[in-house]
């Protein structure tokens, strides 16, 4: 029997699955586990099932001890994990790709609709109690049909967002490290371009790339200036891919028309410049937040941990 530490609350089915084979120490507090408590609890763990709010770095791996075999993140993004530090210590790192693809693409498209159709502004107006009435020029937004979606990072979530956009009558361009399946590209009518061209031609730019040193502030003042003044930016990937200060300035100065953000540079803080603006939709990191998806993520993370503990390759390894 091994010792599994779960760093935050996850759906019970995953805890039961782990508990059927191992001793499980799952943090149950209403708040995130604090760093000190986390370092104390991981001592002697054979597996750590981590949430994206916890930093899994060399200090934590060393606090766990040399018996630690696997870190299973309950997220597809793994910028909270120092993967090279895991690899150096022979620890397997794993994530949860696939199971949250549709949920996240739904939120990306929800933000696209909210931003382009000004739904947040309308909702705030009604709730404010201010007078309003239907008018020919009242809260006009932009139509999506015939417009171009630029997808930055054409992995599973980027492709799922592109499929939704296609169904809404949009054209697709994408920028990606690798070419996608030619059949899917043909079905979507999607054209691969460099980021410069994508920014210049897109009416909506949606970010779906992983976060890391190569994508830190990928969208900054220069890139925002390169976008159409009628364009929108949507981020459901990771906050620091966008320079939030530069985005607030671009939105304030009308360099782009609107934005929708599910993720933030210093979560859970939001840049004060963004909070003042009406032309940005702000939602609190809800990409994978459905009962079904969170359950599937936790089960996949449990499967990753269980596989490694029984000496097998996990279903979704990172290293
Ligand atoms: C959520 O943000 C994830 O990476 O799974």
């Amino acid at each position: 029997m091994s010792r599994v530490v779960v760093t935050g609350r996850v759906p019970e089915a995953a805890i039961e699955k782990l508990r059927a084979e191992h001793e499980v120490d799952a943090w149950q507090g209403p708040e995130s586990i604090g760093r000190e408590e986390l370092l104390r609890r991981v001592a002697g763990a054979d597996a750590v099932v981590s949430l994206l709010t916890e930093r899994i770095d060399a200090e934590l791996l060393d606090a766990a001890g040399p018996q630690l075999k696997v870190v299973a993140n309950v997220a597809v993004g793994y910028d909270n994990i120092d993967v090279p530090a895991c690899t150096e210590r022979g620890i397997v790192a794993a994530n949860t790709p696939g199971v949250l693809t549709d949920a996240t693409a739904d939120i990306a498209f929800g933000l696209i609709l909210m931003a382009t159709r000004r739904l947040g502004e309308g909702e705030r107006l009604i709730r404010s109690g201010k007078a309003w009435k239907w008018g020919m020029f009242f809260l006009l937004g932009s139509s999506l049909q015939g417009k171009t979606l630029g997808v930055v990072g054409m992995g599973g979530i980027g492709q799922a967002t592109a499929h939704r956009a296609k169904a809404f009558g949009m054209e697709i361009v994408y920028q990606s490290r690798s070419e996608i399946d030619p059949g899917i590209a043909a079905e979507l009518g999607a054209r691969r371009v460099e980021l410069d061209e994508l920014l210049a031609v897109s009416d909506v730019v949606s970010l779906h790339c992983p976060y890391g040193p190569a994508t830190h502030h990928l969208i900054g003042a220069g890139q925002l200036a390169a976008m159409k003044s009628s364009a929108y930016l949507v981020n459901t990937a990771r906050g620091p891919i966008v320079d939030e200060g530069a985005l607030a300035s671009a939105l304030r100065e009308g360099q782009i028309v609107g934005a929708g953000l599910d993720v933030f540079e210093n979560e859970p803080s939001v840049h004060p410049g963004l909070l003042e603006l009406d032309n940005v939709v702000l939602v609190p990191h809800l990409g994978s937040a459905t009962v079904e998806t969170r359950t599937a993520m936790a089960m996949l993370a449990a499967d990753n941990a269980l596989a490694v503990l029984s000496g097998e390759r996990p279903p979704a390894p990172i290293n």
Side-chain angles (χ1 to χ4, degrees):
M1 207 186 237
S2 298
R3 181 171 137 72
V4 181
V5 171
V6 183
T7 72
R9 292 184 59 221
V10 300
E12 199 47 39
I15 300 288
E16 277 165 23
K17 190 161 195 186
L18 291 164
R19 220 166 243 152
E21 292 181 43
H22 301 287
E23 178 203 321
V24 179
D25 177 3
W27 175 252
Q28 292 298 329
E31 304 289 335
S32 293
I33 190 168
R35 181 75 180 171
E36 289 308 309
E37 180 68 16
L38 179 61
L39 291 177
R40 207 175 56 71
R41 286 208 183 201
V42 293
D46 301 285
V48 172
V49 174
S50 53
L51 302 192
L52 61 83
T53 41
E54 267 62 69
R55 191 161 33 87
I56 309 296
D57 55 9
E59 182 192 32
L60 183 138
L61 301 175
D62 292 339
Q67 76 299 326
L68 181 62
K69 292 171 197 63
V70 54
V71 172
N73 216 32
V74 191
V76 66
Y78 50 83
D79 49 297
N80 59 314
I81 301 180
D82 183 341
V83 178
C86 289
T87 308
E88 272 165 31
R89 291 163 178 74
I91 298 165
V92 177
N95 68 340
T96 62
V99 291
L100 44 67
T101 298
D102 281 320
T104 309
D106 286 346
I107 286 286
F109 218 80
L111 287 174
I112 292 172
L113 288 169
M114 284 189 76
T116 57
R117 300 302 303 274
R118 305 178 63 179
L119 298 178
E121 283 177 77
E123 228 255 346
R124 285 193 295 280
L125 176 68
I126 291 201
R127 287 185 186 278
S128 75
K130 286 189 193 136
W132 67 276
K133 67 173 184 205
W134 187 92
M136 185 59 84
F137 300 100
F138 177 56
L139 275 185
L140 298 192
S142 292
S143 297
L144 293 176
Q145 293 68 37
K147 301 281 175 63
T148 298
L149 174 70
V151 178
V152 178
M154 194 66 155
I157 301 171
Q159 290 178 34
T161 304
H163 273 110
R164 284 155 178 73
K166 168 103 178 140
F168 274 75
M170 298 185 79
E171 309 288 327
I172 317 293
V173 295
Y174 71 96
Q175 184 258 330
S176 206
R177 282 176 299 189
S178 42
E179 198 74 57
I180 62 166
D181 178 293
I184 295 174
E187 194 188 318
L188 291 168
R191 195 164 59 84
R192 187 173 171 207
V193 295
E194 295 299 327
L195 184 60
D196 288 354
E197 182 179 346
L198 181 145
L199 296 170
V201 303
S202 297
D203 300 292
V204 178
V205 173
S206 191
L207 306 178
H208 299 285
C209 52
Y211 174 64
T215 56
H216 180 76
H217 285 187
L218 181 70
I219 305 296
Q223 290 68 32
L224 291 159
M227 288 171 67
K228 293 183 184 181
S229 58
S230 54
Y232 298 82
L233 177 72
V234 167
N235 189 7
T236 52
R238 282 292 182 268
I241 298 171
V242 176
D243 178 341
E244 261 177 23
L247 177 61
S249 305
L251 287 166
R252 197 176 43 243
E253 284 152 27
Q255 232 167 37
I256 63 169
V257 80
L261 305 176
D262 183 43
V263 287
F264 301 92
E265 217 177 324
N266 298 301
E267 265 172 48
S269 300
V270 177
H271 193 287
L274 293 172
L275 291 170
E276 286 168 7
L277 296 170
D278 245 345
N279 56 343
V280 57
V281 180
L282 306 166
V283 296
H285 205 148
L286 299 177
S288 63
T290 72
V291 173
E292 296 85 347
T293 302
R294 287 285 163 81
T295 303
M297 289 165 71
M299 294 306 267
L300 178 50
D303 286 342
N304 280 328
L306 290 171
V308 177
L309 292 175
S310 30
E312 290 157 25
R313 194 84 181 129
I318 298 165
N319 57 356

